[in-house]
Amino acid sequence: MTPEAPDGTPGDRRISRKSLLKAAVAASAAPLIAGGGVALARDTGSAGSPLAPTPACDDGDDPTPPQMEGPYFKPASPLRTVLVTPSTPGTPLTVSGYVFGRACRPVAGVLLDFWQADANGAYDMRGFAFRGHQFTGADGSFTLTTVVAGLYPGRTRHIHVKAQAPGRPVLTTQLYFPGEPRNSTDPLYDPALLMNVRTVGSGRQGTFDFVLDVDQQPDPTDPPTDPPTGSPGTWAVGTSYRAGDGVTYDGAAYRCLQAHSAMAGWEPPRVPALWERG
């Protein structure tokens, strides 16, 4: 996920529209609001320090950067989301996330073709072990079940992927693991392509959100451009709030935690990532 860069003043961390959309999309499946904030896919590295931002769909940056295909790609991989069996050697790994377009809206039906080395660093060139393709769901989500890719000479750990939205060009790129010693020596390594990875039991869980160069119409729920309504100090749709601003809503006082433009559905009691009561 793309953590948002500070906006020039300490503590003024702009919230990503993509993050809130993602939270809304997944709310019925698994809560993303925890501890008073939105749980972002790429909040922190394995040591708890912030990761460098990946290109975001909502701040004018480029989409997810491409990388070389490499010599081990094979076309016509099987349609599957699970690349292993219960007896497959290696550290279990699941990778999940979303695919967004340039307007921060999920893209359904995106072809994602993954391939990687096995736990020993070898690619299967005779068959289709550790190869498979899938399509994002209606909410733009995907999940891959595999093992942590092994090392081989000259490269750090990585997973290859091709991503193609319907009727659009193919993005070929690679995903990387944080905290790997070879990240600093691999000439292809790009920190913008780091997954967020954590250890869960005997396995690992990784997350990454792709941003494809897909034009999208603004969402009808985007903040309106009309002048804000409501009396001074009262929360109102269309108002631009800064961190520290105080408002009242339904008779209660709230303090703004992150700079944003208010829209319907982001009323203070409903978004603890944006507003703190008191």
Side-chain angles (χ1 to χ4, degrees):
M1 190 78 184
T2 306
E4 298 300 303
D7 192 48
T9 57
D12 186 7
R13 186 174 181 269
R14 291 193 181 275
I15 192 163
S16 165
R17 170 168 170 73
K18 182 175 66 176
S19 302
L20 288 178
L21 280 174
K22 177 177 173 181
V25 163
S28 61
L32 290 180
I33 303 291
V38 176
L40 306 180
R42 295 187 80 251
D43 278 336
T44 58
S46 57
S49 57
L51 288 172
T54 53
C57 60
D58 56 353
D59 60 6
D61 286 347
D62 292 331
T64 301
Q67 290 216 319
M68 66 179 295
E69 179 182 279
Y72 302 117
F73 174 70
K74 288 180 63 176
S77 68
L79 175 64
R80 59 187 179 188
T81 62
V82 179
L83 307 186
V84 294
T85 68
S87 61
T88 299
T91 302
L93 171 70
T94 60
V95 180
S96 61
Y98 294 82
V99 178
F100 294 95
R102 294 299 294 266
C104 296
R105 294 170 60 189
V107 184
V110 174
L111 169 65
L112 295 172
D113 196 348
F114 294 96
W115 72 102
Q116 66 169 83
D118 63 18
N120 295 316
Y123 286 86
D124 178 14
M125 298 306 296
R126 294 187 176 182
F128 288 93
F130 296 102
R131 302 175 186 270
H133 73 272
Q134 59 179 282
F135 295 89
T136 58
D139 59 356
S141 65
F142 72 91
T143 300
L144 178 73
T145 302
T146 181
V147 297
V148 174
L151 294 168
Y152 59 91
R155 293 303 315 275
T156 189
R157 297 186 200 276
H158 61 280
I159 298 175
H160 294 270
V161 59
K162 289 180 179 286
Q164 183 179 25
R168 301 294 297 169
V170 177
L171 167 70
T172 301
T173 192
Q174 302 178 36
L175 303 181
Y176 295 97
F177 295 78
E180 289 291 327
R182 291 195 188 180
N183 286 351
S184 60
T185 59
D186 188 330
L188 296 179
Y189 167 75
D190 185 344
L193 296 169
L194 273 174
M195 295 182 288
N196 190 36
V197 180
R198 63 173 183 161
T199 299
V200 179
S202 61
R204 305 181 79 185
Q205 292 180 353
T207 54
F208 190 86
D209 296 333
F210 295 91
V211 179
L212 299 185
D213 192 7
V214 174
D215 292 330
Q216 297 173 314
Q217 295 298 316
D219 193 287
T221 61
D222 281 342
T225 57
D226 295 334
T229 60
S231 58
T234 301
W235 183 89
V237 170
T239 303
S240 294
Y241 292 108
R242 298 172 300 177
D245 285 350
V247 299
T248 59
Y249 181 85
D250 199 21
Y254 294 87
R255 183 178 66 86
C256 181
L257 298 177
Q258 303 191 55
H260 66 284
S261 293
M263 65 168 60
W266 291 8
E267 293 80 3
R270 303 181 63 177
V271 279
L274 296 179
W275 295 100
E276 177 181 59
R277 186 164 180 172

Coordinates of all heavy atoms in Angstrom, one line a residue, residues 34-66:
A34 N -8.4 -0.5 13.1 CA -7.9 -1.2 14.4 C -7.1 -0.2 15.1 O -6.3 0.5 14.5 CB -7.1 -2.4 14.1
G35 N -7.3 -0.1 16.4 CA -6.4 0.8 17.2 C -6.6 2.2 16.9 O -5.7 3.0 17.0
G36 N -7.8 2.6 16.3 CA -8.0 4.0 16.1 C -7.5 4.5 14.7 O -7.4 5.7 14.5
G37 N -7.1 3.6 13.8 CA -6.6 4.0 12.5 C -6.9 3.0 11.5 O -7.2 1.8 11.7
V38 N -6.7 3.4 10.2 CA -6.9 2.5 9.1 C -5.6 1.6 9.0 O -4.5 2.1 9.0 CB -7.1 3.3 7.8 CG1 -7.2 2.4 6.6 CG2 -8.3 4.1 7.9
A39 N -5.8 0.3 8.8 CA -4.7 -0.6 8.7 C -4.3 -0.6 7.2 O -5.0 -1.1 6.3 CB -5.1 -2.0 9.1
L40 N -3.2 0.0 6.9 CA -2.7 0.1 5.5 C -1.8 -1.1 5.1 O -1.1 -1.6 6.0 CB -1.9 1.4 5.3 CG -2.6 2.7 5.8 CD1 -1.7 3.9 5.6 CD2 -3.9 2.9 5.0
A41 N -1.9 -1.4 3.8 CA -1.1 -2.6 3.4 C 0.4 -2.4 3.5 O 1.1 -3.4 3.8 CB -1.5 -3.0 1.9
R42 N 0.9 -1.2 3.3 CA 2.3 -1.0 3.4 C 2.6 0.0 4.4 O 3.4 1.0 4.2 CB 2.9 -0.6 2.0 CG 2.8 -1.7 1.0 CD 3.5 -1.3 -0.3 NE 4.9 -1.5 -0.2 CZ 5.8 -0.6 -0.2 NH1 5.5 0.7 -0.1 NH2 7.1 -0.9 -0.1
D43 N 2.1 -0.1 5.6 CA 2.4 0.8 6.7 C 3.8 0.9 7.1 O 4.5 1.9 7.1 CB 1.6 0.5 7.9 CG 0.1 1.0 7.9 OD1 -0.1 1.9 7.1 OD2 -0.7 0.4 8.6
T44 N 4.4 -0.3 7.5 CA 5.7 -0.3 8.1 C 6.5 -1.5 7.5 O 5.9 -2.5 7.0 CB 5.6 -0.5 9.6 OG1 4.9 -1.6 9.9 CG2 4.9 0.8 10.2
G45 N 7.8 -1.4 7.7 CA 8.6 -2.6 7.4 C 8.6 -3.6 8.5 O 7.9 -3.5 9.5
S46 N 9.4 -4.6 8.3 CA 9.4 -5.7 9.3 C 9.9 -5.3 10.6 O 9.6 -5.9 11.6 CB 10.3 -6.9 8.7 OG 11.6 -6.4 8.5
A47 N 10.7 -4.2 10.7 CA 11.3 -3.7 11.9 C 10.4 -2.6 12.5 O 10.7 -2.0 13.5 CB 12.7 -3.2 11.8
G48 N 9.3 -2.3 11.9 CA 8.4 -1.3 12.4 C 8.6 0.1 11.9 O 7.9 1.0 12.2
S49 N 9.7 0.3 11.0 CA 9.9 1.6 10.5 C 9.2 1.8 9.2 O 8.9 0.8 8.5 CB 11.4 1.7 10.2 OG 11.9 0.7 9.3
P50 N 8.8 3.0 8.8 CA 8.0 3.3 7.6 C 8.8 2.8 6.4 O 10.0 3.0 6.2 CB 7.8 4.8 7.6 CG 8.0 5.2 9.1 CD 9.1 4.2 9.6
L51 N 8.0 2.2 5.4 CA 8.6 1.9 4.1 C 8.5 3.1 3.2 O 7.7 4.0 3.4 CB 7.7 0.8 3.5 CG 7.9 -0.6 4.1 CD1 6.9 -1.5 3.5 CD2 9.3 -1.2 3.8
A52 N 9.4 3.1 2.3 CA 9.4 4.2 1.3 C 8.1 4.1 0.5 O 7.7 3.0 0.2 CB 10.6 4.1 0.3
P53 N 7.5 5.2 0.1 CA 6.2 5.1 -0.6 C 6.3 4.4 -1.9 O 7.3 4.6 -2.7 CB 5.8 6.6 -0.8 CG 6.6 7.3 0.3 CD 7.9 6.6 0.4
T54 N 5.4 3.6 -2.3 CA 5.3 3.1 -3.7 C 4.5 4.2 -4.5 O 3.8 5.0 -3.9 CB 4.6 1.8 -3.8 OG1 3.3 1.9 -3.1 CG2 5.4 0.7 -3.1
P55 N 4.6 4.2 -5.8 CA 3.8 5.2 -6.6 C 2.3 5.1 -6.2 O 1.8 4.0 -6.1 CB 4.1 4.8 -8.0 CG 5.5 4.1 -7.9 CD 5.5 3.4 -6.6
A56 N 1.7 6.2 -6.0 CA 0.3 6.3 -5.6 C -0.6 6.7 -6.8 O -0.1 7.4 -7.7 CB 0.2 7.2 -4.4
C57 N -1.8 6.3 -6.7 CA -2.8 6.6 -7.8 C -3.4 8.0 -7.5 O -4.1 8.5 -8.4 CB -3.8 5.6 -7.9 SG -4.8 5.4 -6.4
D58 N -3.1 8.6 -6.4 CA -3.9 9.8 -6.1 C -3.0 11.1 -5.9 O -3.5 12.1 -5.4 CB -4.7 9.6 -4.8 CG -3.9 9.1 -3.6 OD1 -2.7 8.9 -3.8 OD2 -4.5 9.0 -2.5
D59 N -1.7 11.0 -6.2 CA -0.9 12.2 -6.0 C -0.1 12.5 -7.2 O 0.8 13.3 -7.1 CB 0.0 11.9 -4.8 CG 1.0 10.8 -5.0 OD1 1.0 10.2 -6.1 OD2 1.7 10.4 -4.1
G60 N -0.5 12.0 -8.4 CA 0.2 12.4 -9.6 C 1.4 11.7 -9.9 O 2.1 11.9 -10.9
D61 N 1.8 10.7 -9.1 CA 3.0 9.9 -9.4 C 2.7 8.9 -10.5 O 1.6 8.7 -10.9 CB 3.5 9.2 -8.1 CG 4.1 10.1 -7.1 OD1 4.4 11.2 -7.5 OD2 4.3 9.7 -6.0
D62 N 3.8 8.2 -11.0 CA 3.6 7.2 -12.0 C 3.0 5.9 -11.4 O 3.0 5.7 -10.2 CB 5.0 6.9 -12.6 CG 5.5 8.0 -13.4 OD1 4.7 8.8 -13.9 OD2 6.7 8.1 -13.5
P63 N 2.5 5.1 -12.2 CA 1.9 3.8 -11.7 C 3.1 2.9 -11.2 O 4.3 3.3 -11.3 CB 1.3 3.2 -13.0 CG 1.1 4.3 -13.9 CD 2.2 5.3 -13.6
T64 N 2.7 1.7 -10.8 CA 3.7 0.7 -10.3 C 4.8 0.6 -11.4 O 4.5 0.3 -12.5 CB 3.1 -0.6 -10.0 OG1 2.0 -0.4 -9.0 CG2 4.1 -1.7 -9.5
P65 N 6.1 0.7 -11.0 CA 7.2 0.7 -12.0 C 7.4 -0.7 -12.6 O 7.2 -1.7 -11.9 CB 8.4 1.2 -11.2 CG 8.1 0.8 -9.8 CD 6.6 1.0 -9.6
P66 N 7.7 -0.7 -13.9 CA 8.0 -2.0 -14.6 C 9.4 -2.5 -14.3 O 10.3 -1.7 -13.8 CB 7.9 -1.7 -16.1 CG 8.3 -0.2 -16.1 CD 7.8 0.4 -14.8

